[in-house]
Amino acid sequence: MSHGSPPVAQWPERPAAEQQERTAPRPSRRRRRLALALVMPLVLLVTSCASDAPQTTLEPKGPIARSIDSLWDGVFIVAVVVFIIVEFGTLALVMRFRRRKDDTGDDLPAQTHGNFKLEIAWTIVPAVMLAVVGFFTLRTLFEINDFDDEALTVKVTGQQWWWEYSYDTDGDGEFTEEDVVTANDLVVPAGVDVNLDIGSNDVIHSFWIPALNGKKDAVPGSIHELAINADEPGTYVGQCTEFCGMSHGYMRQRVIALTPDEFDDWLANQEDDAQMPSEEEAAAGAELFTTQCSGCHLARGINDEEFEEAGNGEELLVSGNAPDLTHFTSRGVFAGGIFDLWLDGDGDGILEADEIGGKGVLNRSAIEAWLRNPPAEKPMDAPYVPEPGDAPVRGMPNFNLQEAQIDQLVAFLATLD
Ligand code: CUA
């Protein structure tokens, strides 16, 4: 135990020149600061000017996203009022009690420490405001987590670096290969709630379609529930929002909402097996697909046996899973959603349902480029073609295919509608 006063820290005296600089910045530096202070708000302002920004929560396209947006509107108004009172109050006080030329520094303004009424007021007012915001926040949370148990449920699985969607079409409560399995494009009926059971096969991802609901983490080993609901048929885009490795920034997802009738047709088509093509080049492609691709990819009706024998891709990939290609060309995008599978007919940058399939033009050159060297098209950790017993890879390796083989594979893939 030491007695007496504690030692007082002694700061070394600052050189006079430096003190001078601190109290009075040189004009050039002052000018630079002023310029920066003017430019920064301008930069911020410009960022709000994007006209083509589909990934915004501020333009909700369904009832769930709308209830989040109206909560945000209310909280924003409260925050703006508080901001104005605090900032302008601070500025007013600074102006009023600023140091004047004739100030000697001896005459302090009246001290208000211990003003009981003031202290009670600035404790109670924020507490009441937070309680009100908290009440509406909780109400919205309960609202958006009130799931309709009768609604269609889709299992969403994040993996490096794409999304898989499984529909329990036989209604046995399980999501298996016998059910409809698709990738990247989540197809749903418009105007109704769709429940999502979100999980992951490898690392933590996060599912986010800003126009339809908030974010939900995809965590390996657990299932998180989220509901989405789109007012109108259309395409709603989003992206993975949890850093998940190399191609996190390329891990996109899209929701395609169809009219209920169109959705039923889509689902019925997805339930069909693929047909062995009769055309010569495509048939050669199917053959090649069966020998080269069965380690990871399934095209139901084409390579079921070989896929099963190879272990369903479980050993060769870290995620244990590659996209099911049975209805490859019924999708709008491929490779985690970074490439359009069809040409964008109206050039608006978003591939809609009416530009996909029989109504569109296949983006052949993108598929060819992908097959030529996948890791060159999208950063992936697939340095070699794995064999059983090798360390598993993340993503699709380069198979060093010849151009003729690529043509055959594309001809085959084009038949998977
Ligand atoms: Cu998946 Cu980031």
Side-chain angles (χ1 to χ4, degrees):
M1 293 290 282
S2 75
H3 296 272
S5 47
V8 176
Q10 293 290 323
W11 295 101
E13 281 287 322
R14 220 185 291 277
E18 201 183 313
Q19 274 184 5
Q20 181 68 24
E21 195 178 67
R22 282 183 69 82
T23 49
R26 284 196 307 272
S28 70
R29 180 179 292 192
R30 198 184 297 163
R31 230 172 304 159
R32 227 180 301 145
R33 281 188 194 158
L34 192 69
L36 203 65
L38 288 174
V39 165
M40 287 309 282
L42 205 65
V43 169
L44 267 179
L45 194 71
V46 168
T47 57
S48 67
C49 293
S51 61
D52 175 26
Q55 285 183 203
T56 171
T57 43
L58 303 181
E59 283 170 30
K61 298 284 164 61
I64 303 169
R66 211 154 29 241
S67 74
I68 296 176
D69 186 57
S70 34
L71 171 70
W72 188 89
D73 286 347
V75 174
F76 185 69
I77 290 168
V78 172
V80 166
V81 170
V82 170
F83 177 83
I84 288 173
I85 292 173
V86 170
E87 294 306 314
F88 282 84
T90 306
L91 277 178
L93 290 176
V94 165
M95 293 303 286
R96 175 143 181 233
F97 297 107
R98 73 187 184 278
R99 185 171 183 170
R100 288 162 216 267
K101 266 200 187 114
D102 53 350
D103 272 355
T104 59
D106 293 333
D107 42 345
L108 289 171
Q111 299 299 291
T112 54
H113 176 75
N115 186 321
F116 187 67
K117 276 185 200 157
L118 260 182
E119 286 183 2
I120 289 292
W122 66 49
T123 305
I124 286 182
V125 170
V128 169
M129 285 169 70
L130 287 179
V132 171
V133 167
F135 170 78
F136 285 104
T137 304
L138 281 175
R139 201 180 69 167
T140 306
L141 275 175
F142 282 113
E143 215 171 270
I144 66 178
N145 286 302
D146 181 20
F147 299 107
D148 173 6
D149 294 334
E150 301 295 301
L152 168 74
T153 299
V154 182
K155 185 180 156 202
V156 175
T157 310
Q159 29 218 337
Q160 288 166 321
W161 289 273
W162 58 283
W163 294 93
E164 183 176 76
Y165 308 109
S166 312
Y167 299 69
D168 177 21
T169 32
D170 54 16
D172 64 354
E174 309 254 324
F175 298 94
T176 61
E177 271 147 27
E178 283 72 51
D179 294 317
V180 164
V181 183
T182 181
N184 303 316
D185 279 353
L186 169 57
V187 180
V188 298
V192 294
D193 275 13
V194 175
N195 293 335
L196 307 180
D197 281 357
I198 301 176
S200 167
N201 274 344
D202 38 45
V203 299
I204 302 177
H205 305 270
S206 189
F207 186 86
W208 188 42
I209 305 285
L212 303 182
N213 201 338
K215 299 171 182 174
K216 189 66 91 174
D217 276 3
V219 178
S222 63
I223 294 293
H224 292 165
E225 289 185 311
L226 185 80
I228 54 170
N229 187 334
D231 292 328
E232 302 286 335
T235 302
Y236 307 92
V237 294
Q239 65 188 72
C240 179
T241 58
E242 182 78 39
F243 179 69
C244 55
M246 275 182 202
S247 276
H248 155 70
Y250 294 120
M251 193 170 161
R252 297 185 184 162
Q253 67 255 42
R254 312 187 332 144
V255 167
I256 297 187
L258 303 173
T259 64
D261 283 349
E262 285 172 342
F263 177 76
D264 290 343
D265 290 348
W266 175 85
L267 200 60
N269 179 56
Q270 296 288 313
E271 285 181 75
D272 290 345
D273 280 359
Q275 299 295 314
M276 191 56 93
S278 50
E279 193 268 323
E280 200 181 320
E281 192 174 39
E287 189 81 14
L288 186 61
F289 177 83
T290 304
T291 55
Q292 289 279 337
C293 314
S294 296
C296 300
H297 290 288
L298 171 68
R300 243 184 312 117
I302 305 286
N303 69 333
D304 306 61
E305 258 175 58
E306 291 80 0
F307 179 69
E308 191 77 24
E309 267 166 39
N312 304 343
E314 276 159 26
E315 278 172 42
L316 307 181
L317 296 160
V318 173
S319 66
N321 193 17
D324 183 306
L325 299 179
T326 310
H327 294 279
F328 178 61
T329 59
S330 71
R331 302 166 195 165
V333 292
F334 72 102
I338 59 177
F339 299 110
D340 285 352
L341 193 46
W342 299 88
L343 298 181
D344 180 18
D346 56 11
D348 68 350
I350 293 180
L351 217 50
E352 285 98 7
D354 63 359
E355 292 164 318
I356 297 171
K359 300 157 204 151
V361 182
L362 199 64
N363 190 1
R364 240 163 232 281
S365 61
I367 312 171
E368 286 171 10
W370 176 261
L371 291 173
R372 219 165 269 136
N373 187 357
E377 297 297 306
K378 172 179 164 187
M380 292 188 285
D381 186 16
Y384 49 80
V385 177
E387 299 281 340
D390 288 345
V393 298
R394 295 166 201 265
M396 181 162 159
N398 182 357
F399 283 82
N400 291 307
L401 298 165
Q402 293 155 10
E403 286 303 313
Q405 294 178 308
I406 291 172
D407 289 343
Q408 291 168 354
L409 280 174
V410 174
F412 166 61
L413 291 171
T415 68
L416 300 174
D417 55 1

